Short mmCIF file of all heavy atoms in Angstrom, two decimals:
data_model
loop_
_atom_site.label_atom_id
_atom_site.label_comp_id
_atom_site.label_asym_id
_atom_site.label_seq_id
_atom_site.Cartn_x
_atom_site.Cartn_y
_atom_site.Cartn_z
N ALA A 406 -61.24 -19.00 -3.90
CA ALA A 406 -60.02 -19.35 -4.61
C ALA A 406 -59.97 -20.86 -4.85
O ALA A 406 -59.57 -21.31 -5.94
CB ALA A 406 -58.80 -18.91 -3.82
N ARG A 407 -60.36 -21.64 -3.85
CA ARG A 407 -60.33 -23.11 -3.99
C ARG A 407 -61.38 -23.62 -5.00
O ARG A 407 -61.12 -24.55 -5.76
CB ARG A 407 -60.55 -23.78 -2.63
CG ARG A 407 -59.34 -23.69 -1.73
CD ARG A 407 -59.52 -24.53 -0.46
NE ARG A 407 -58.26 -24.68 0.24
CZ ARG A 407 -57.79 -23.83 1.15
NH1 ARG A 407 -58.51 -22.76 1.46
NH2 ARG A 407 -56.64 -24.04 1.73
N ILE A 408 -62.55 -23.00 -4.99
CA ILE A 408 -63.57 -23.38 -5.97
C ILE A 408 -63.02 -23.16 -7.38
O ILE A 408 -63.29 -23.95 -8.30
CB ILE A 408 -64.87 -22.58 -5.75
CG1 ILE A 408 -65.54 -23.01 -4.44
CG2 ILE A 408 -65.84 -22.80 -6.92
CD1 ILE A 408 -66.72 -22.14 -4.04
N GLY A 409 -62.21 -22.12 -7.55
CA GLY A 409 -61.63 -21.82 -8.86
C GLY A 409 -60.86 -22.97 -9.45
O GLY A 409 -60.81 -23.13 -10.68
N PHE A 410 -60.23 -23.78 -8.60
CA PHE A 410 -59.50 -24.94 -9.14
C PHE A 410 -60.15 -26.28 -8.79
O PHE A 410 -59.53 -27.33 -8.90
CB PHE A 410 -58.00 -24.91 -8.79
CG PHE A 410 -57.64 -25.00 -7.33
CD1 PHE A 410 -57.44 -26.23 -6.73
CD2 PHE A 410 -57.45 -23.85 -6.57
CE1 PHE A 410 -57.07 -26.32 -5.39
CE2 PHE A 410 -57.08 -23.93 -5.23
CZ PHE A 410 -56.89 -25.18 -4.63
N GLY A 411 -61.44 -26.22 -8.37
CA GLY A 411 -62.21 -27.46 -8.27
C GLY A 411 -62.28 -28.11 -6.92
O GLY A 411 -62.70 -29.26 -6.80
N GLN A 412 -61.88 -27.38 -5.85
CA GLN A 412 -62.10 -27.86 -4.49
C GLN A 412 -63.23 -27.03 -3.86
O GLN A 412 -63.69 -26.05 -4.43
CB GLN A 412 -60.83 -27.73 -3.65
CG GLN A 412 -59.74 -28.72 -4.02
CD GLN A 412 -58.54 -28.66 -3.08
OE1 GLN A 412 -58.52 -27.89 -2.13
NE2 GLN A 412 -57.54 -29.48 -3.35
N SER A 413 -63.69 -27.46 -2.67
CA SER A 413 -64.75 -26.74 -1.94
C SER A 413 -66.07 -26.69 -2.70
O SER A 413 -66.89 -25.80 -2.49
CB SER A 413 -64.31 -25.31 -1.56
OG SER A 413 -63.19 -25.34 -0.70
N ILE A 414 -66.26 -27.65 -3.61
CA ILE A 414 -67.52 -27.78 -4.35
C ILE A 414 -67.64 -29.24 -4.76
O ILE A 414 -66.62 -29.91 -4.98
CB ILE A 414 -67.54 -26.84 -5.60
CG1 ILE A 414 -68.93 -26.82 -6.24
CG2 ILE A 414 -66.47 -27.23 -6.62
CD1 ILE A 414 -69.11 -25.72 -7.30
N ALA A 415 -68.87 -29.75 -4.79
CA ALA A 415 -69.09 -31.14 -5.22
C ALA A 415 -70.14 -31.16 -6.31
O ALA A 415 -71.16 -30.47 -6.21
CB ALA A 415 -69.53 -32.00 -4.03
N VAL A 416 -69.87 -31.92 -7.36
CA VAL A 416 -70.77 -31.96 -8.52
C VAL A 416 -71.04 -33.41 -8.91
O VAL A 416 -70.28 -34.31 -8.56
CB VAL A 416 -70.16 -31.20 -9.72
CG1 VAL A 416 -69.68 -29.81 -9.30
CG2 VAL A 416 -69.01 -31.97 -10.36
N THR A 417 -72.12 -33.62 -9.64
CA THR A 417 -72.41 -34.96 -10.15
C THR A 417 -71.84 -35.08 -11.57
O THR A 417 -71.65 -34.06 -12.26
CB THR A 417 -73.92 -35.23 -10.20
OG1 THR A 417 -74.53 -34.38 -11.18
CG2 THR A 417 -74.57 -34.99 -8.84
N PRO A 418 -71.57 -36.30 -12.02
CA PRO A 418 -71.06 -36.47 -13.38
C PRO A 418 -71.98 -35.89 -14.45
O PRO A 418 -71.51 -35.28 -15.41
CB PRO A 418 -70.92 -37.99 -13.52
CG PRO A 418 -70.69 -38.47 -12.12
CD PRO A 418 -71.55 -37.58 -11.26
N ILE A 419 -73.29 -36.06 -14.28
CA ILE A 419 -74.22 -35.55 -15.30
C ILE A 419 -74.23 -34.02 -15.30
O ILE A 419 -74.33 -33.39 -16.36
CB ILE A 419 -75.64 -36.13 -15.11
CG1 ILE A 419 -76.54 -35.82 -16.32
CG2 ILE A 419 -76.30 -35.65 -13.84
CD1 ILE A 419 -76.25 -36.65 -17.54
N GLN A 420 -74.06 -33.40 -14.13
CA GLN A 420 -73.95 -31.93 -14.07
C GLN A 420 -72.71 -31.46 -14.82
O GLN A 420 -72.76 -30.50 -15.59
CB GLN A 420 -73.84 -31.46 -12.62
CG GLN A 420 -75.12 -31.36 -11.85
CD GLN A 420 -74.87 -30.90 -10.42
OE1 GLN A 420 -73.82 -31.17 -9.85
NE2 GLN A 420 -75.84 -30.24 -9.84
N LEU A 421 -71.60 -32.14 -14.56
CA LEU A 421 -70.34 -31.73 -15.19
C LEU A 421 -70.42 -31.87 -16.69
O LEU A 421 -70.00 -30.97 -17.44
CB LEU A 421 -69.18 -32.54 -14.61
CG LEU A 421 -67.78 -32.13 -15.04
CD1 LEU A 421 -67.47 -30.68 -14.67
CD2 LEU A 421 -66.73 -33.06 -14.44
N CYS A 422 -70.95 -32.99 -17.17
CA CYS A 422 -71.09 -33.19 -18.62
C CYS A 422 -71.98 -32.13 -19.24
O CYS A 422 -71.66 -31.57 -20.30
CB CYS A 422 -71.67 -34.57 -18.91
SG CYS A 422 -70.51 -35.93 -18.67
N THR A 423 -73.10 -31.83 -18.59
CA THR A 423 -74.05 -30.85 -19.11
C THR A 423 -73.42 -29.46 -19.16
O THR A 423 -73.57 -28.72 -20.14
CB THR A 423 -75.32 -30.82 -18.24
OG1 THR A 423 -75.87 -32.15 -18.17
CG2 THR A 423 -76.37 -29.90 -18.82
N ALA A 424 -72.67 -29.11 -18.11
CA ALA A 424 -72.02 -27.80 -18.05
C ALA A 424 -70.93 -27.68 -19.10
O ALA A 424 -70.80 -26.63 -19.76
CB ALA A 424 -71.45 -27.57 -16.66
N VAL A 425 -70.14 -28.73 -19.27
CA VAL A 425 -69.07 -28.69 -20.26
C VAL A 425 -69.65 -28.59 -21.67
O VAL A 425 -69.11 -27.87 -22.52
CB VAL A 425 -68.14 -29.92 -20.11
CG1 VAL A 425 -67.20 -30.04 -21.30
CG2 VAL A 425 -67.34 -29.81 -18.81
N CYS A 426 -70.75 -29.29 -21.91
CA CYS A 426 -71.41 -29.16 -23.21
C CYS A 426 -71.76 -27.70 -23.48
O CYS A 426 -71.53 -27.19 -24.58
CB CYS A 426 -72.68 -30.02 -23.25
SG CYS A 426 -72.38 -31.79 -23.41
#
Side-chain angles (χ1 to χ4, degrees):
R407 286 188 167 88
I408 292 172
F410 64 89
Q412 288 186 1
S413 298
I414 189 169
V416 310
T417 67
I419 191 75
Q420 280 179 330
L421 187 59
C422 286
T423 305
V425 169
C426 286

